[in-house]
Amino acid sequence: MPLLAFSASGVRFPSWSMTNAEWDALKAEYRELRLTASCCSNAVVPVVSSRGWRFYRHAPGIVCDHRESPEHIVAKTLAARAAENLGLDVTTEACGPDGRWRADVLIRHPARGWSVALEIQMSRCPLDEIERRQAAYAAEAVRGAWLVGFRLPDYEPNRDLPLFRLVSLRDGILDPWVDRGDGEPTSISDFVTSLLTRRVVLREPPSHTLSLSVVGSPSTCWRCFQHQILLVSFVNAPAGVLAPKGWLLAKDLAKVPKIHTAYRQVVPMLLRTVPDLTVLRPPRRKEAQPDLQAYCPTCDAPQSLHRLSQDLLDPLRQRCWTLQEGREWSLRERVRPRWDWPDGPVMDWP
Ligand SMILES: [Zn+2]
Ligand SMILES: [Zn+2]
């Protein structure tokens, strides 16, 4: 339902910021004003929900696909009000050129000229549909941000698509809040204020934890009993059949020639950096399977890479080294990117 209406002479009536007196006056004279909706320019009637939220209802018999849940109206009202309180220009149900997009709440900076479209998506829709609509905003240099009322497991937080989870407190309570993932609810007003004052930041994992690396586990050579780091796998490999989610088992290295070549080129560097790291080579007996074998850095005895023990696969015991420069890192550093809005100013967005 629209929150914004216009009189025949072009006067603007934003339901989220009008005083009670202004709203009452509008209810008395909306017919004479020939009030029309921002969404479809059809006739509308100012109404108030049972819980006191104002909006415009299309006049009987009018067909408009702009139908929204009460929660949607509340979220839109709170977002529009928060943006307007920052001195920004706000339009709801705003249409892009030639109807290429329609934003729930479109916010423009009156002096700097940037635009932000805030979309409140309560009904379930697939991620690629959101990405398509985001691209339509981007094509007009409008920064889109999404508040979605459902889980999107495939969404990975990224700068091109700022997307945040909107949660209803309880059934029937019209007080949706934004979830930061730490259990602390943020009201829509506070969130929108943070967003528009550049206090929402993307926390990303350090770049070396995304770089192709060898993964090693501490073990002991069966023949010389010396300590070694058994190279068990590669991480951050280009995803493929042999490398699901970027994990490639060391024994399968020869089956992915590109990574095999990259590894062979850096073996001397790796051994200088990690002298007790095992070396991967084809088995000495040529008739054996194409799987590679690990060799002890001290006595060169072959070490099995089949049926590795739980101990060797424990991510807490494993260490990684990048192929690029042999930088050591721990799998614990490999955090998922997430949105955060800390206290205090941070210049990051939009
Ligand atoms: Zn309409
Ligand atoms: Zn040995």
Side-chain angles (χ1 to χ4, degrees):
M1 317 297 177
L3 298 187
L4 183 60
F6 296 93
S7 71
S9 59
V11 179
R12 193 171 170 272
F13 294 96
S15 69
W16 63 87
S17 62
M18 291 165 66
T19 64
N20 286 337
E22 287 168 337
W23 187 256
D24 289 342
L26 182 66
K27 281 171 108 170
E29 56 186 10
Y30 70 91
R31 279 192 196 85
E32 295 87 273
L33 289 168
R34 284 181 287 138
L35 211 54
T36 55
S38 53
C39 50
C40 58
S41 302
N42 284 313
V44 281
V45 183
V47 287
V48 178
S49 77
S50 58
R51 292 180 194 268
W53 297 92
R54 300 169 188 160
F55 60 96
Y56 295 98
R57 180 171 281 155
H58 293 90
I62 283 173
V63 180
C64 171
D65 59 5
H66 209 80
R67 307 259 166 226
E68 294 163 351
S69 66
E71 238 172 0
H72 196 137
I73 292 168
V74 172
K76 224 161 61 167
T77 301
L78 295 172
R81 206 175 276 163
E84 203 161 79
N85 284 344
L86 291 169
L88 303 167
D89 296 339
V90 179
T91 315
T92 55
E93 307 86 38
C95 260
D98 303 325
R100 283 195 284 272
W101 44 262
R102 183 162 65 194
D104 278 327
V105 183
L106 184 70
I107 300 145
R108 281 185 215 278
H109 193 289
R112 291 185 204 146
W114 54 254
S115 298
V116 167
L118 254 179
E119 275 294 277
I120 292 141
Q121 184 69 36
M122 301 305 291
S123 56
R124 197 163 277 281
C125 86
L127 184 57
D128 53 9
E129 165 69 13
I130 292 177
E131 286 166 344
R132 193 187 60 72
R133 287 162 64 188
Q134 182 76 355
Y137 289 134
E140 316 282 346
V142 173
R143 193 88 164 90
W146 295 74
L147 294 175
V148 296
F150 49 92
R151 282 188 194 288
L152 275 169
D154 293 340
Y155 171 69
E156 177 102 332
N158 69 87
R159 275 164 216 284
D160 290 339
L161 183 57
L163 185 147
F164 311 91
R165 181 78 201 281
L166 197 60
V167 183
S168 309
L169 207 54
R170 279 192 302 276
D171 280 350
I173 304 272
L174 293 178
D175 189 12
W177 51 279
V178 186
D179 183 11
R180 179 161 48 182
D182 60 2
E184 283 295 311
T186 304
S187 71
I188 289 181
S189 308
D190 287 350
F191 174 77
V192 170
T193 304
S194 289
L195 187 72
L196 297 172
T197 53
R198 305 180 175 206
R199 280 184 287 139
V200 172
V201 294
L202 183 62
R203 302 253 181 250
E204 290 175 287
S207 61
H208 63 266
T209 67
L210 305 173
S211 163
L212 176 64
S213 303
V214 298
V215 181
S217 295
S219 77
T220 307
C221 172
W222 60 270
R223 190 159 76 188
C224 70
F225 301 109
Q226 293 295 307
H227 168 82
Q228 64 183 10
I229 306 277
L230 189 67
L231 199 173
V232 292
S233 58
F234 291 77
V235 67
N236 300 321
V241 181
L242 284 166
K245 293 184 174 164
W247 286 88
L248 172 69
L249 292 173
K251 70 180 176 64
D252 292 332
L253 176 63
K255 296 169 196 162
V256 186
K258 221 173 161 179
I259 301 177
H260 193 193
T261 307
Y263 165 75
R264 275 190 306 205
Q265 281 167 355
V266 299
V267 167
M269 179 277 287
L270 279 176
L271 288 179
R272 277 195 305 276
T273 316
V274 200
D276 42 4
L277 187 67
T278 59
V279 177
L280 294 170
R281 285 205 311 266
R284 291 197 182 98
R285 286 172 55 222
K286 283 286 174 221
E287 68 274 19
Q289 66 268 53
D291 291 355
L292 294 189
Q293 250 173 350
Y295 289 89
C296 170
T298 308
C299 73
D300 212 36
Q303 315 287 313
S304 174
L305 288 171
H306 288 265
R307 285 190 286 277
L308 297 170
S309 69
Q310 258 343 90
D311 239 21
L312 290 170
L313 297 173
D314 179 0
L316 294 178
R317 302 184 73 228
Q318 292 177 327
R319 303 290 301 166
C320 311
W321 290 269
T322 63
L323 256 61
Q324 205 169 13
E325 49 185 5
R327 176 170 180 165
E328 183 175 351
W329 58 279
S330 143
L331 289 166
R332 265 171 295 190
E333 295 172 57
R334 214 170 169 250
V335 291
R336 289 197 57 193
R338 64 183 176 89
W339 291 105
D340 194 11
W341 40 97
D343 299 326
V346 179
M347 302 300 278
D348 195 49
W349 204 93

